[in-house]
Short mmCIF file of all heavy atoms in Angstrom, two decimals:
data_model
loop_
_atom_site.label_atom_id
_atom_site.label_comp_id
_atom_site.label_asym_id
_atom_site.label_seq_id
_atom_site.Cartn_x
_atom_site.Cartn_y
_atom_site.Cartn_z
N MET A 11 229.01 114.01 -42.43
CA MET A 11 229.69 114.41 -43.65
C MET A 11 229.95 115.88 -43.56
O MET A 11 229.01 116.68 -43.32
CB MET A 11 228.88 114.02 -44.83
CG MET A 11 229.59 114.29 -46.14
SD MET A 11 228.69 113.59 -47.56
CE MET A 11 229.74 114.05 -48.86
N THR A 12 231.14 116.31 -43.73
CA THR A 12 231.42 117.71 -43.61
C THR A 12 231.49 118.34 -45.11
O THR A 12 232.00 117.61 -46.08
CB THR A 12 232.85 117.90 -42.92
OG1 THR A 12 233.78 117.23 -43.72
CG2 THR A 12 232.67 117.45 -41.55
N ALA A 13 231.15 119.53 -45.17
CA ALA A 13 231.17 120.21 -46.45
C ALA A 13 232.59 120.68 -46.70
O ALA A 13 233.22 121.26 -45.81
CB ALA A 13 230.23 121.40 -46.44
N SER A 14 233.10 120.33 -47.80
CA SER A 14 234.48 120.76 -48.09
C SER A 14 234.49 122.11 -48.88
O SER A 14 233.54 122.25 -49.68
CB SER A 14 235.18 119.70 -48.94
OG SER A 14 234.62 119.54 -50.17
N ARG A 15 235.35 122.90 -48.52
CA ARG A 15 235.40 124.12 -49.19
C ARG A 15 236.74 124.17 -50.08
O ARG A 15 237.75 123.78 -49.58
CB ARG A 15 235.52 125.31 -48.22
CG ARG A 15 234.25 125.46 -47.32
CD ARG A 15 234.27 126.61 -46.53
NE ARG A 15 233.07 126.86 -45.78
CZ ARG A 15 232.68 127.97 -45.22
NH1 ARG A 15 233.42 128.99 -45.18
NH2 ARG A 15 231.51 128.03 -44.65
N THR A 16 236.53 124.63 -51.19
CA THR A 16 237.66 124.66 -52.19
C THR A 16 238.02 126.09 -52.37
O THR A 16 237.18 127.03 -52.45
CB THR A 16 237.36 124.00 -53.46
OG1 THR A 16 236.29 124.67 -54.00
CG2 THR A 16 237.10 122.55 -53.31
N ILE A 17 239.29 126.33 -52.45
CA ILE A 17 239.80 127.66 -52.71
C ILE A 17 240.19 127.75 -54.23
O ILE A 17 240.94 126.88 -54.77
CB ILE A 17 241.05 127.92 -51.86
CG1 ILE A 17 240.77 127.90 -50.40
CG2 ILE A 17 241.65 129.38 -52.29
CD1 ILE A 17 241.90 128.01 -49.54
N PRO A 18 239.54 128.64 -55.00
CA PRO A 18 239.86 128.73 -56.40
C PRO A 18 241.34 128.92 -56.64
O PRO A 18 241.98 129.75 -55.98
CB PRO A 18 238.98 129.90 -56.84
CG PRO A 18 238.67 130.67 -55.63
CD PRO A 18 238.70 129.68 -54.45
N LEU A 19 241.90 128.10 -57.51
CA LEU A 19 243.32 128.26 -57.86
C LEU A 19 243.56 129.37 -58.86
O LEU A 19 244.75 129.78 -58.97
CB LEU A 19 243.85 126.89 -58.37
CG LEU A 19 243.81 125.81 -57.37
CD1 LEU A 19 244.19 124.52 -58.03
CD2 LEU A 19 244.61 126.09 -56.12
N VAL A 20 242.67 129.71 -59.65
CA VAL A 20 242.82 130.73 -60.65
C VAL A 20 242.49 132.08 -60.03
O VAL A 20 241.41 132.35 -59.54
CB VAL A 20 241.88 130.48 -61.81
CG1 VAL A 20 242.09 131.52 -62.84
CG2 VAL A 20 242.09 129.09 -62.38
N PRO A 21 243.65 132.79 -59.96
CA PRO A 21 243.49 134.17 -59.36
C PRO A 21 242.50 135.06 -60.18
O PRO A 21 242.57 135.01 -61.44
CB PRO A 21 244.87 134.77 -59.25
CG PRO A 21 245.58 134.04 -60.39
CD PRO A 21 244.90 132.65 -60.52
N SER A 22 241.75 135.85 -59.49
CA SER A 22 240.85 136.76 -60.34
C SER A 22 241.68 138.04 -60.71
O SER A 22 242.81 138.18 -60.24
CB SER A 22 239.68 137.19 -59.47
OG SER A 22 240.11 138.03 -58.36
N ALA A 23 241.12 138.80 -61.62
CA ALA A 23 241.85 139.87 -62.12
C ALA A 23 242.17 140.90 -61.00
O ALA A 23 243.18 141.59 -61.19
CB ALA A 23 241.02 140.58 -63.22
N SER A 24 241.42 140.90 -59.95
CA SER A 24 241.66 141.88 -58.89
C SER A 24 242.79 141.50 -57.97
O SER A 24 243.32 142.24 -57.13
CB SER A 24 240.46 142.09 -58.07
OG SER A 24 240.07 140.89 -57.48
N VAL A 25 243.29 140.21 -58.20
CA VAL A 25 244.39 139.73 -57.26
C VAL A 25 245.75 140.38 -57.51
O VAL A 25 246.32 140.82 -56.55
CB VAL A 25 244.57 138.20 -57.39
CG1 VAL A 25 245.82 137.77 -56.59
CG2 VAL A 25 243.28 137.52 -56.79
N HIS A 26 246.04 140.57 -58.74
CA HIS A 26 247.38 141.15 -58.99
C HIS A 26 247.30 142.54 -59.42
O HIS A 26 246.22 142.99 -59.98
CB HIS A 26 248.24 140.17 -59.93
CG HIS A 26 247.97 140.44 -61.39
ND1 HIS A 26 248.19 139.47 -62.28
CD2 HIS A 26 247.55 141.52 -62.11
CE1 HIS A 26 247.96 139.86 -63.48
NE2 HIS A 26 247.56 141.17 -63.50
N GLU A 27 248.34 143.30 -59.37
CA GLU A 27 248.36 144.60 -59.87
C GLU A 27 248.90 144.58 -61.30
O GLU A 27 249.94 144.01 -61.54
CB GLU A 27 249.36 145.46 -59.01
CG GLU A 27 249.31 146.89 -59.30
CD GLU A 27 250.04 147.74 -58.30
OE1 GLU A 27 250.23 147.25 -57.19
OE2 GLU A 27 250.56 148.81 -58.65
N HIS A 28 248.02 145.02 -62.26
CA HIS A 28 248.42 144.98 -63.65
C HIS A 28 249.69 145.77 -63.94
O HIS A 28 249.93 146.80 -63.40
CB HIS A 28 247.27 145.50 -64.60
CG HIS A 28 246.05 144.69 -64.39
ND1 HIS A 28 245.92 143.36 -64.75
CD2 HIS A 28 244.78 145.03 -64.05
CE1 HIS A 28 244.71 143.00 -64.55
NE2 HIS A 28 243.94 143.91 -64.09
N ALA A 29 250.49 145.16 -64.75
CA ALA A 29 251.70 145.85 -65.26
C ALA A 29 251.46 146.20 -66.71
O ALA A 29 251.69 145.45 -67.62
CB ALA A 29 252.87 144.92 -65.19
N TRP A 30 250.96 147.48 -66.85
CA TRP A 30 250.48 147.92 -68.15
C TRP A 30 251.65 148.26 -69.02
O TRP A 30 252.60 148.97 -68.68
CB TRP A 30 249.59 149.16 -67.94
CG TRP A 30 248.33 148.88 -67.29
CD1 TRP A 30 247.93 149.38 -66.07
CD2 TRP A 30 247.26 148.02 -67.67
NE1 TRP A 30 246.69 148.95 -65.66
CE2 TRP A 30 246.31 148.06 -66.59
CE3 TRP A 30 247.00 147.18 -68.71
CZ2 TRP A 30 245.09 147.35 -66.66
CZ3 TRP A 30 245.83 146.48 -68.79
CH2 TRP A 30 244.94 146.53 -67.74
N MET A 31 251.64 147.71 -70.26
CA MET A 31 252.58 148.07 -71.32
C MET A 31 251.90 148.68 -72.48
O MET A 31 250.86 148.20 -72.90
CB MET A 31 253.29 146.75 -71.76
CG MET A 31 254.12 146.04 -70.72
SD MET A 31 255.08 144.66 -71.40
CE MET A 31 253.88 143.92 -72.57
N THR A 32 252.36 149.68 -72.98
CA THR A 32 251.80 150.38 -74.17
C THR A 32 252.08 149.65 -75.39
O THR A 32 253.21 149.34 -75.72
CB THR A 32 252.34 151.86 -74.22
OG1 THR A 32 252.04 152.51 -73.03
CG2 THR A 32 251.71 152.50 -75.37
N GLU A 33 251.00 149.30 -76.15
CA GLU A 33 251.09 148.58 -77.34
C GLU A 33 251.12 149.53 -78.56
O GLU A 33 251.79 149.40 -79.55
CB GLU A 33 249.99 147.56 -77.55
CG GLU A 33 250.12 146.37 -76.60
CD GLU A 33 249.17 145.22 -77.01
OE1 GLU A 33 247.97 145.50 -77.32
OE2 GLU A 33 249.67 144.12 -77.13
N SER A 34 250.23 150.59 -78.43
CA SER A 34 250.27 151.66 -79.49
C SER A 34 249.67 152.86 -78.91
O SER A 34 249.02 152.92 -77.94
CB SER A 34 249.48 151.15 -80.71
OG SER A 34 248.15 150.89 -80.35
N VAL A 35 250.10 153.93 -79.65
CA VAL A 35 249.73 155.25 -79.15
C VAL A 35 249.20 156.00 -80.33
O VAL A 35 249.63 155.94 -81.42
CB VAL A 35 250.95 156.11 -78.70
CG1 VAL A 35 250.54 157.46 -78.21
CG2 VAL A 35 251.59 155.33 -77.48
N HIS A 36 248.01 156.76 -80.12
CA HIS A 36 247.39 157.54 -81.17
C HIS A 36 247.15 158.91 -80.67
O HIS A 36 246.48 159.02 -79.58
CB HIS A 36 246.12 156.93 -81.65
CG HIS A 36 246.35 155.50 -82.19
ND1 HIS A 36 246.70 155.17 -83.45
CD2 HIS A 36 246.17 154.31 -81.47
CE1 HIS A 36 246.91 153.80 -83.53
NE2 HIS A 36 246.57 153.31 -82.35
N LEU A 37 247.50 159.96 -81.37
CA LEU A 37 247.25 161.27 -80.99
C LEU A 37 245.82 161.69 -81.50
O LEU A 37 245.52 161.54 -82.64
CB LEU A 37 248.28 162.27 -81.51
CG LEU A 37 249.68 162.19 -80.89
CD1 LEU A 37 250.67 162.99 -81.65
CD2 LEU A 37 249.59 162.45 -79.45
N THR A 38 245.03 162.18 -80.55
CA THR A 38 243.71 162.61 -80.96
C THR A 38 243.50 164.05 -80.38
O THR A 38 244.29 164.42 -79.64
CB THR A 38 242.51 161.70 -80.42
OG1 THR A 38 242.51 161.84 -78.91
CG2 THR A 38 242.88 160.24 -80.73
N SER A 39 242.24 164.60 -80.72
CA SER A 39 242.04 165.96 -80.22
C SER A 39 241.74 165.98 -78.75
O SER A 39 241.87 166.90 -78.07
CB SER A 39 240.80 166.57 -80.96
OG SER A 39 239.76 165.74 -80.78
N ASP A 40 241.44 164.78 -78.16
CA ASP A 40 241.14 164.63 -76.74
C ASP A 40 242.48 164.35 -75.98
O ASP A 40 242.38 164.29 -74.79
CB ASP A 40 240.18 163.54 -76.50
CG ASP A 40 238.80 163.86 -77.01
OD1 ASP A 40 238.41 165.10 -77.06
OD2 ASP A 40 238.02 162.99 -77.40
N GLY A 41 243.44 164.10 -76.72
CA GLY A 41 244.69 163.83 -75.99
C GLY A 41 245.40 162.60 -76.68
O GLY A 41 245.08 162.26 -77.82
N ARG A 42 246.18 161.90 -75.86
CA ARG A 42 246.98 160.76 -76.38
C ARG A 42 246.24 159.58 -76.03
O ARG A 42 246.20 159.19 -74.82
CB ARG A 42 248.40 160.86 -75.96
CG ARG A 42 249.33 159.90 -76.67
CD ARG A 42 250.71 160.18 -76.24
NE ARG A 42 250.85 160.17 -74.83
CZ ARG A 42 251.95 160.37 -74.13
NH1 ARG A 42 253.12 160.59 -74.82
NH2 ARG A 42 252.06 160.34 -72.86
N VAL A 43 245.70 158.78 -76.95
CA VAL A 43 245.08 157.51 -76.57
C VAL A 43 246.08 156.33 -76.65
O VAL A 43 246.81 156.30 -77.67
CB VAL A 43 243.87 157.29 -77.57
CG1 VAL A 43 243.33 155.84 -77.36
CG2 VAL A 43 242.82 158.31 -77.51
N ARG A 44 246.17 155.59 -75.61
CA ARG A 44 247.12 154.47 -75.51
C ARG A 44 246.37 153.18 -75.37
O ARG A 44 245.52 153.04 -74.54
CB ARG A 44 248.05 154.76 -74.37
CG ARG A 44 249.01 155.90 -74.57
CD ARG A 44 250.02 156.00 -73.41
NE ARG A 44 249.44 156.30 -72.14
CZ ARG A 44 249.65 155.54 -71.10
NH1 ARG A 44 250.35 154.43 -71.14
NH2 ARG A 44 249.04 155.76 -69.95
N TYR A 45 246.78 152.24 -76.14
CA TYR A 45 246.27 150.90 -76.06
C TYR A 45 247.30 150.11 -75.28
O TYR A 45 248.47 149.96 -75.68
CB TYR A 45 246.07 150.29 -77.44
CG TYR A 45 244.94 150.94 -78.14
CD1 TYR A 45 245.14 152.13 -78.80
CD2 TYR A 45 243.63 150.45 -78.28
CE1 TYR A 45 244.11 152.80 -79.51
CE2 TYR A 45 242.66 151.06 -78.89
CZ TYR A 45 242.88 152.26 -79.57
OH TYR A 45 241.87 152.88 -80.15
N VAL A 46 246.90 149.68 -73.99
CA VAL A 46 247.83 148.97 -73.24
C VAL A 46 247.37 147.59 -72.89
O VAL A 46 246.25 147.21 -73.04
CB VAL A 46 248.00 149.80 -71.84
CG1 VAL A 46 248.53 151.20 -72.12
CG2 VAL A 46 246.65 149.92 -71.11
N ARG A 47 248.36 146.77 -72.61
CA ARG A 47 248.14 145.38 -72.17
C ARG A 47 248.97 145.04 -71.03
O ARG A 47 250.08 145.44 -70.88
CB ARG A 47 248.55 144.53 -73.37
CG ARG A 47 248.31 142.95 -73.18
CD ARG A 47 248.54 142.26 -74.47
NE ARG A 47 249.91 142.36 -74.90
CZ ARG A 47 250.98 141.64 -74.56
NH1 ARG A 47 250.77 140.70 -73.65
NH2 ARG A 47 252.11 141.85 -75.01
N CYS A 48 248.32 144.23 -70.10
CA CYS A 48 249.04 143.76 -68.91
C CYS A 48 250.06 142.66 -69.26
O CYS A 48 249.70 141.68 -69.99
CB CYS A 48 248.06 143.24 -67.98
SG CYS A 48 248.82 142.63 -66.46
N ALA A 49 251.16 142.80 -68.83
CA ALA A 49 252.28 141.92 -69.10
C ALA A 49 251.97 140.54 -68.32
O ALA A 49 252.52 139.53 -68.69
CB ALA A 49 253.66 142.42 -68.69
N GLY A 50 251.17 140.59 -67.26
CA GLY A 50 250.99 139.48 -66.38
C GLY A 50 249.85 138.59 -66.89
O GLY A 50 249.94 137.44 -66.98
N CYS A 51 248.76 139.23 -67.31
CA CYS A 51 247.52 138.43 -67.59
C CYS A 51 246.97 138.78 -68.98
O CYS A 51 245.94 138.21 -69.26
CB CYS A 51 246.45 138.70 -66.47
SG CYS A 51 245.75 140.37 -66.44
N SER A 52 247.62 139.66 -69.76
CA SER A 52 247.25 139.90 -71.17
C SER A 52 245.86 140.60 -71.25
O SER A 52 245.39 140.66 -72.35
CB SER A 52 247.27 138.63 -71.93
OG SER A 52 248.58 138.11 -71.95
N VAL A 53 245.41 141.15 -70.17
CA VAL A 53 244.12 141.95 -70.23
C VAL A 53 244.50 143.26 -70.93
O VAL A 53 245.66 143.74 -70.80
CB VAL A 53 243.63 142.22 -68.91
CG1 VAL A 53 242.66 143.42 -68.78
CG2 VAL A 53 242.89 140.99 -68.30
N ARG A 54 243.58 143.71 -71.75
CA ARG A 54 243.85 145.01 -72.48
C ARG A 54 243.01 146.11 -71.90
O ARG A 54 241.88 145.84 -71.37
CB ARG A 54 243.58 144.69 -74.01
CG ARG A 54 244.62 143.93 -74.64
CD ARG A 54 244.43 143.92 -76.21
NE ARG A 54 245.64 143.52 -76.94
CZ ARG A 54 245.89 142.27 -77.14
NH1 ARG A 54 245.09 141.37 -76.66
NH2 ARG A 54 247.09 141.97 -77.78
N ARG A 55 243.40 147.35 -72.19
CA ARG A 55 242.72 148.47 -71.74
C ARG A 55 243.05 149.64 -72.68
O ARG A 55 244.16 149.61 -73.28
CB ARG A 55 243.09 148.85 -70.25
CG ARG A 55 242.14 149.82 -69.64
CD ARG A 55 242.52 149.93 -68.11
NE ARG A 55 243.74 150.75 -67.98
CZ ARG A 55 244.21 151.15 -66.82
NH1 ARG A 55 243.74 150.66 -65.71
NH2 ARG A 55 245.33 151.82 -66.70
N VAL A 56 242.20 150.60 -72.76
CA VAL A 56 242.46 151.76 -73.53
C VAL A 56 242.56 152.92 -72.59
O VAL A 56 241.57 153.16 -71.78
CB VAL A 56 241.38 152.00 -74.58
CG1 VAL A 56 241.72 153.31 -75.40
CG2 VAL A 56 241.24 150.85 -75.46
N ASP A 57 243.69 153.66 -72.54
CA ASP A 57 243.89 154.76 -71.68
C ASP A 57 243.92 155.98 -72.54
O ASP A 57 244.19 155.95 -73.76
CB ASP A 57 245.22 154.63 -70.95
CG ASP A 57 245.18 153.66 -69.91
OD1 ASP A 57 244.08 153.04 -69.68
OD2 ASP A 57 246.20 153.36 -69.25
N VAL A 58 243.51 157.14 -71.87
CA VAL A 58 243.74 158.40 -72.56
C VAL A 58 244.46 159.34 -71.63
O VAL A 58 244.24 159.53 -70.49
CB VAL A 58 242.43 159.03 -73.03
CG1 VAL A 58 241.47 159.31 -71.88
CG2 VAL A 58 242.59 160.26 -73.86
N ASP A 59 245.53 159.92 -72.24
CA ASP A 59 246.26 161.01 -71.46
C ASP A 59 245.72 162.27 -71.89
O ASP A 59 245.53 162.55 -73.11
CB ASP A 59 247.71 160.89 -71.83
CG ASP A 59 248.37 159.63 -71.40
OD1 ASP A 59 247.90 158.89 -70.50
OD2 ASP A 59 249.48 159.29 -72.03
N ALA A 60 245.34 163.15 -70.93
CA ALA A 60 244.86 164.49 -71.33
C ALA A 60 245.89 165.12 -72.15
O ALA A 60 246.98 164.77 -72.27
CB ALA A 60 244.57 165.22 -70.03
N VAL A 61 245.42 166.19 -72.92
CA VAL A 61 246.30 166.86 -73.80
C VAL A 61 247.55 167.26 -73.03
O VAL A 61 247.43 167.84 -71.93
CB VAL A 61 245.61 168.11 -74.35
CG1 VAL A 61 246.54 168.93 -75.20
CG2 VAL A 61 244.38 167.67 -75.15
N ALA A 62 248.57 166.83 -73.60
CA ALA A 62 249.86 167.04 -72.81
C ALA A 62 250.18 168.51 -72.62
O ALA A 62 250.02 169.42 -73.48
CB ALA A 62 251.03 166.36 -73.68
N VAL A 63 250.52 168.72 -71.38
CA VAL A 63 250.90 170.16 -71.04
C VAL A 63 252.39 170.08 -70.75
O VAL A 63 252.86 169.72 -69.67
CB VAL A 63 250.19 170.62 -69.69
CG1 VAL A 63 250.63 171.96 -69.29
CG2 VAL A 63 248.67 170.51 -69.89
N ALA A 64 253.13 170.31 -71.85
CA ALA A 64 254.53 170.26 -71.88
C ALA A 64 255.13 171.57 -71.38
O ALA A 64 254.52 172.62 -71.77
CB ALA A 64 255.11 169.77 -73.13
N PRO A 65 256.12 171.58 -70.73
CA PRO A 65 256.74 172.88 -70.30
C PRO A 65 257.24 173.48 -71.60
O PRO A 65 257.69 172.83 -72.48
CB PRO A 65 257.91 172.46 -69.34
CG PRO A 65 258.23 171.05 -69.67
CD PRO A 65 256.89 170.45 -70.11
N PRO A 66 257.29 174.83 -71.63
CA PRO A 66 257.70 175.44 -72.79
C PRO A 66 259.20 175.12 -73.08
O PRO A 66 260.03 175.05 -72.11
CB PRO A 66 257.52 176.96 -72.52
CG PRO A 66 257.42 177.05 -71.02
CD PRO A 66 256.87 175.81 -70.51
N THR A 67 259.43 175.11 -74.35
CA THR A 67 260.87 174.87 -74.80
C THR A 67 261.41 176.15 -75.32
O THR A 67 260.85 176.80 -76.17
CB THR A 67 260.95 173.79 -75.84
OG1 THR A 67 260.21 172.64 -75.42
CG2 THR A 67 262.28 173.48 -76.21
N ALA A 68 262.66 176.51 -74.89
CA ALA A 68 263.30 177.71 -75.40
C ALA A 68 263.64 177.57 -76.87
O ALA A 68 264.31 176.57 -77.26
CB ALA A 68 264.56 177.93 -74.58
N LEU A 69 263.21 178.57 -77.53
CA LEU A 69 263.49 178.60 -79.02
C LEU A 69 264.84 179.27 -79.31
O LEU A 69 265.63 179.02 -80.12
CB LEU A 69 262.41 179.29 -79.79
CG LEU A 69 262.50 179.21 -81.35
CD1 LEU A 69 262.62 177.78 -81.90
CD2 LEU A 69 261.40 179.91 -81.90
N THR A 70 265.16 180.23 -78.43
CA THR A 70 266.37 181.06 -78.45
C THR A 70 267.07 181.04 -77.13
O THR A 70 266.44 180.60 -76.16
CB THR A 70 266.13 182.51 -78.86
OG1 THR A 70 265.48 183.13 -77.84
CG2 THR A 70 265.27 182.60 -80.05
N ARG A 71 268.26 181.43 -77.09
CA ARG A 71 268.92 181.60 -75.79
C ARG A 71 268.36 182.87 -75.18
O ARG A 71 267.65 183.66 -75.78
CB ARG A 71 270.42 181.70 -75.93
CG ARG A 71 270.89 182.97 -76.79
CD ARG A 71 272.37 183.04 -76.92
NE ARG A 71 272.79 184.15 -77.74
CZ ARG A 71 273.00 185.38 -77.24
NH1 ARG A 71 272.88 185.61 -76.00
NH2 ARG A 71 273.42 186.26 -77.98
N GLU A 72 268.64 183.03 -73.88
CA GLU A 72 268.14 184.13 -73.25
C GLU A 72 268.75 185.47 -73.78
O GLU A 72 269.96 185.50 -74.09
CB GLU A 72 268.43 184.06 -71.68
CG GLU A 72 267.76 182.95 -71.08
CD GLU A 72 268.06 182.78 -69.56
OE1 GLU A 72 268.78 183.58 -69.07
OE2 GLU A 72 267.69 181.68 -69.00
N ILE A 73 267.97 186.49 -73.92
CA ILE A 73 268.40 187.76 -74.54
C ILE A 73 268.09 188.85 -73.65
O ILE A 73 267.11 188.97 -73.03
CB ILE A 73 267.51 187.99 -75.86
CG1 ILE A 73 267.72 186.90 -76.90
CG2 ILE A 73 267.96 189.33 -76.53
CD1 ILE A 73 266.75 186.93 -78.02
N GLY A 74 269.19 189.76 -73.51
CA GLY A 74 269.02 190.92 -72.64
C GLY A 74 269.42 190.75 -71.18
O GLY A 74 269.78 189.64 -70.71
ZN1 LIG B 111 247.19 141.93 -65.17
#
């Protein structure tokens, strides 16, 4: 009698690359907290973006 081996049909979470979609965003003192969900397997995660370092925006036209 031979031992049969079965291959699990349900892929584990590590099998696919999550496709994160942002569900909601909250600004905090630590940065922007984003609640994301994978479009493929519906797993959720909380991400934080460091405080945004946006390039300066010109308030006036160049002078001089
Ligand atoms: Zn996923």
